[in-house]
Amino acid sequence: HRRPVLGKLPAAPFVALDLALPRSRALVRRRSRSPIADAHFAIGFFALGGGDRSSGDLERGRAFLSALESSRSPGYQDPAWGYPFDWQTRYGTFGAGWPLMTTMPYCYEAFAAGHAATGDALYPAVMEGVARFAADRIPVTTIDDESDAAAYTPFDRRQVVNASAYRAFLLVDAGYRFERDDWLAAGRRNAAYVLRAQRGDGSWPYSTDGTDDFVDNFHTCLVLKNLVKVWLLVADESMRAAIETGYRFYLDHLLDDEGLPRPYARPPRLTLHRRDLYDYAEGINLAYLLRALVPGSPAVLERLVGDLTGRWQQEDGHFVTRELVVGRNTVPYHRWAQSQTFHALALVATAES
């Protein structure tokens, strides 16, 4: 990152190996669980189980919640989760297990889904602890009198749009659920920052604190998805307008002529993949949420689900990870994005049944 030309030389062979033989990652990395994947699988199985307390799907969902209980970030009283690997970024390395604002809301939602499906009285306490962690331990940067940007972890002060959108949803939902006006206010300040960061064309940059100003597909979906969840709770008309403008940008710039996801509105660098499973998963999640709010979203939902199930699913049930310029990556990474896809399709399937 500090010396882009020199840095590319030692990195290039590994990029080439990952493209030509992606299973080679197993040579340098042991298999491990991913909390964000466990959360997505839990939500999906609880959706499939419905209200049937004897359903095997509910027991599967419980098993994933038990795994989450065992994979909490160490050293904290309140529950939090991060990645099971060191995450290298241009701003430094975020260590394995560091609590991540982009992971914790899914764990919160997983325990919420578990409580709704099973009535387990222990799950709300976990949810309240997750919200308390997000409120007390995730740094925020005040942007103006009405808005705060949220960081990724307790150890950075970045101004990341999707992290702020995640914190907005988590604290607004928890503020109402646990009658905490301070959480509700904090969440609304994060949502105000997200609205402030929206560009005139409806897009959002990845962050507002440096060089990460690219606009890509699934992060756009993540921002919109969390804004929709907040709007469903607070019914703010300025937020609804931002959602509609943002989704219009998504339709015009992040879907191609076939109506299928493209990775970037404008590629910030050379990209060697044409389509990404993560874009399908989050596009489906977003269209599902918007199906009663934005007229064009049901058609997007039908198109993405049809292409995903028709061309991307393999005989054993897992999905292609990426369509490359030449060939496909068929390694089933749970975090990228088998679990997100399972979650999305489970919600769609149960809504239709």
Side-chain angles (χ1 to χ4, degrees), residues 34-81:
S34 173
I36 196 171
D38 285 333
H40 279 293
F41 283 125
I43 296 168
F45 277 116
F46 286 129
L48 293 174
D52 183 0
R53 296 294 176 90
S54 64
S55 169
D57 290 323
L58 297 191
E59 290 308 307
R60 292 185 181 95
R62 282 182 174 274
F64 283 107
L65 295 189
S66 294
L68 284 175
E69 289 278 22
S70 302
S71 63
R72 288 169 48 170
S73 297
Y76 300 100
Q77 181 175 356
D78 285 320
W81 294 265

Side-chain angles (χ1 to χ4, degrees), residues 227-299:
L227 276 187
V228 174
K229 291 178 181 179
V230 174
W231 177 80
L232 290 171
L233 292 167
V234 303
D236 184 316
E237 287 307 305
S238 64
M239 195 174 298
R240 175 170 181 160
I243 291 166
E244 292 175 344
T245 304
Y247 198 62
R248 192 176 309 118
F249 178 91
Y250 168 81
L251 295 176
D252 292 343
H253 298 279
L254 291 166
L255 299 179
D256 62 18
D257 293 340
E258 300 176 62
L260 299 177
R262 57 163 57 114
Y264 293 96
R266 179 180 299 172
R269 58 184 179 274
L270 175 66
T271 56
L272 300 175
H273 66 282
R274 295 176 59 249
R275 303 197 197 283
D276 193 298
L277 181 62
Y278 214 150
D279 298 339
Y280 277 81
E282 293 306 337
I284 291 169
N285 268 322
L286 179 58
Y288 172 82
L289 277 175
L290 289 174
R291 66 195 188 281
L293 180 64
V294 177
S297 57

Side-chain angles (χ1 to χ4, degrees), residues 42-231:
I43 296 168
F45 277 116
F46 286 129
L48 293 174
D52 183 0
R53 296 294 176 90
S54 64
S55 169
D57 290 323
L58 297 191
E59 290 308 307
R60 292 185 181 95
R62 282 182 174 274
F64 283 107
L65 295 189
S66 294
L68 284 175
E69 289 278 22
S70 302
S71 63
R72 288 169 48 170
S73 297
Y76 300 100
Q77 181 175 356
D78 285 320
W81 294 265
Y83 290 152
F85 52 83
D86 291 339
W87 178 24
Q88 289 80 27
T89 79
R90 72 174 66 215
Y91 296 92
T93 299
F94 291 0
W98 283 15
L100 279 176
M101 196 59 250
T102 51
T103 293
M104 291 185 293
Y106 291 114
C107 302
Y108 173 91
E109 287 185 289
F111 282 96
H115 177 63
T118 69
D120 192 316
L122 297 178
Y123 293 161
V126 178
M127 297 164 59
E128 189 172 11
V130 177
R132 186 164 49 243
F133 188 102
D136 296 345
R137 302 301 296 266
I138 297 297
V140 296
T141 298
T142 297
I143 304 300
D144 56 29
D145 290 343
E146 297 180 350
S147 63
D148 295 330
Y152 265 124
T153 75
F155 312 112
D156 73 286
R157 298 197 69 88
R158 294 211 56 198
Q159 299 171 29
V160 183
V161 177
N162 80 92
S164 300
Y166 276 116
R167 190 172 184 265
F169 157 67
L170 173 55
L171 292 183
V172 168
D173 185 273
Y176 281 120
R177 191 185 296 263
F178 298 107
E179 299 181 345
R180 290 288 302 263
D181 290 341
D182 53 337
W183 291 354
L184 178 59
R188 297 206 65 163
R189 289 183 64 84
N190 286 143
Y193 161 73
V194 175
L195 298 186
R196 185 180 185 277
Q198 189 176 30
R199 293 169 171 168
D201 62 2
S203 67
W204 281 275
Y206 181 79
S207 68
T208 60
D209 60 355
T211 57
D212 288 337
D213 62 350
F214 60 87
V215 179
D216 69 344
N217 194 302
F218 72 87
H219 283 108
T220 297
C221 291
L222 297 178
V223 172
L224 280 166
K225 179 176 70 173
N226 282 291
L227 276 187
V228 174
K229 291 178 181 179
V230 174
W231 177 80

